[in-house]
Amino acid sequence: MATVFGALNRFISRLDSESPSQSRYESSASGFQVLRNKNPEIPIEPWYDFIVGINGRQIDTPSPPLLATEIRNCAGSTATLTLWSAKGSTTRTLPLHIPTPSPTLGLTLQWTPLSTTHSVWHILDIAPSSPASLAGLLPYSDYIVGTPEGCIHGDSGLGELVEDYLGRSLRLYVYNHEYSVTREISITPSRNWGGEGALGCVLGYGALHRLPQPLGQGPVAGPGEVVFGDGEESARFSNEEPNRAFTPSSVPLRQPSPSTFLVPAAMDLPPPPAASKGAQSPASGRAGRKPKVVRGNSAFEDMFKEGQAKSQEEDFAPASRVKVAPPPGGPPLSSRSPAPDHGAKTPEPEAPHESEG
């Protein structure tokens, strides 16, 4: 699993280095890191903030005298510093008023690569009763950013330092991103605390575990870039018309004209005939009655007649109920029975004639 995370971290690091949206100041790879701030009125954090530009120009030369000269030239006016922060890898501008009597900032600076702030270790799971738990480390919100005992760089830098301090007290600088504070703790690495590891915690290192922005701070917009626009006009393409807000009350309602729709009540139809008391129900008198077409619009009447005629031709149905004559010859002899005639007399049978022979 560690190999998979290591490969993923290397892949993300390569994407970060090749990303076209990377800050132009971060691509310079170095800047003046603030080591100490003696002026509490200047909102600059030591170790996390780097001065990478001044008055709109990028600093690409590691020359402190040139930076000091530029600041003295702004005496009595305002100098604008461009700062890069390790918290979220963001840039911001800070205008500062330079006093005339003492044109200094009260900062201790050192030309340092920006990548030094990537050597941080994220505290993940912590075992109970472990050295990390006893030292007061907090899971998932604490980051080990350094130590006063020396410099640690690379994935194995913290492990080598812990091995050197087995059984001894080790001081570490820990940053908590939930409260945005940095504190110093003392921890005693040991192999005999009853669990795995000398610290008793799981550490995360690499591009997936770099310092995030403090809670409550949104993404910082770059030059000419709007992250969340709250103005009257929303973002659009250059060839797109301005987007006007749709207000239902501003749209006039068009009343339809009477001739737009077909109203059946407007047809010239005669009133229905009044039903008589002795009239049969529609179900009983329907069998021997032809379909009646309501006399109304002539166009509809012609259309109904044409449809009725086509239907009769296709179904070979007679136009009226005409009695059909029986076939000639009548039924077969076997099934023929004479009809009784009560008024006629039955002839008597004749006696047989005897012939003389």
Side-chain angles (χ1 to χ4, degrees):
M1 184 61 69
T3 306
V4 175
F5 277 106
L8 184 59
N9 287 330
R10 289 191 297 270
F11 176 72
I12 295 179
S13 300
R14 186 168 66 252
L15 290 181
D16 290 343
S17 61
E18 298 175 358
S19 175
S21 61
Q22 187 180 22
S23 173
R24 62 189 181 97
Y25 298 105
E26 189 174 358
S27 62
S28 63
S30 298
F32 285 103
Q33 185 180 19
V34 179
L35 301 181
R36 185 178 296 115
N37 183 5
K38 299 180 181 179
N39 191 351
E41 297 181 358
I42 299 179
I44 294 180
E45 293 185 274
W47 193 87
Y48 300 102
D49 286 341
F50 289 70
I51 300 177
V52 294
I54 183 171
N55 294 332
R57 296 189 300 272
Q58 181 179 351
I59 300 176
D60 51 5
T61 303
S63 177
L66 291 179
L67 179 62
T69 301
E70 183 69 20
I71 293 176
R72 284 194 297 267
N73 293 337
C74 297
S77 60
T78 301
T80 303
L81 300 180
T82 302
L83 302 175
W84 181 87
S85 176
K87 299 178 180 180
S89 301
T90 58
T91 57
R92 70 184 190 275
T93 57
L94 179 64
L96 298 175
H97 178 72
I98 308 300
T100 302
S102 177
T104 59
L105 298 178
L107 303 175
T108 303
L109 306 177
Q110 179 182 358
W111 184 260
T112 311
L114 305 184
S115 59
T116 56
T117 60
H118 296 167
S119 297
V120 296
W121 287 262
H122 189 192
I123 305 297
L124 301 178
D125 295 331
I126 297 179
S129 302
S130 62
S133 178
L134 298 178
L137 291 176
L138 302 177
Y140 298 100
S141 60
D142 279 349
Y143 293 79
I144 299 176
V145 296
T147 175
E149 313 299 343
C151 296
I152 49 177
H153 297 291
D155 189 5
S156 60
L158 182 60
E160 295 174 356
L161 181 66
V162 169
E163 291 291 335
D164 294 339
Y165 279 83
L166 286 176
R168 297 187 297 164
S169 178
L170 173 63
R171 294 179 299 169
L172 297 175
Y173 293 134
V174 178
Y175 167 74
N176 186 278
H177 82 96
E178 292 185 357
Y179 298 96
S180 188
V181 295
T182 303
R183 67 189 189 276
E184 179 181 325
I185 66 166
S186 297
I187 186 172
T188 304
S190 175
R191 298 286 186 184
N192 303 322
W193 64 273
E196 297 181 358
L199 300 179
C201 62
V202 180
L203 301 176
Y205 181 87
L208 296 177
H209 303 282
R210 292 177 183 173
L211 294 181
Q213 288 185 345
L215 297 181
Q217 295 184 5
V220 180
E225 179 183 4
V226 178
V227 180
F228 297 105
D230 54 355
E232 297 180 357
E233 187 175 355
S234 59
R236 64 180 187 273
F237 294 101
S238 58
N239 59 349
E240 188 179 355
E241 294 295 332
N243 185 15
R244 296 179 176 85
F246 173 75
T247 306
S249 60
S250 62
V251 179
L253 297 178
R254 183 174 61 87
Q255 298 294 336
S257 59
S259 60
T260 306
F261 304 101
L262 175 64
V263 182
M267 299 175 62
D268 188 11
L269 299 178
S276 60
K277 295 182 179 181
Q280 298 178 354
S281 61
S284 60
R286 189 179 301 169
R289 191 170 55 188
K290 293 183 179 180
K292 184 182 294 185
V293 180
V294 179
R295 300 296 177 179
N297 197 333
S298 59
F300 285 102
E301 185 178 355
D302 295 341
M303 182 179 64
F304 291 151
K305 287 183 179 181
E306 183 180 357
Q308 184 181 9
K310 289 183 179 181
S311 177
Q312 291 177 357
E313 292 177 1
E314 294 177 359
D315 298 341
F316 302 96
S320 61
R321 299 182 63 86
V322 181
K323 294 182 180 181
V324 182
L333 296 177
S334 60
S335 61
R336 186 180 302 176
S337 59
D341 189 0
H342 301 283
K345 295 181 179 181
T346 304
E348 296 180 359
E350 298 181 358
H353 297 281
E354 296 180 0
S355 59
E356 295 178 359

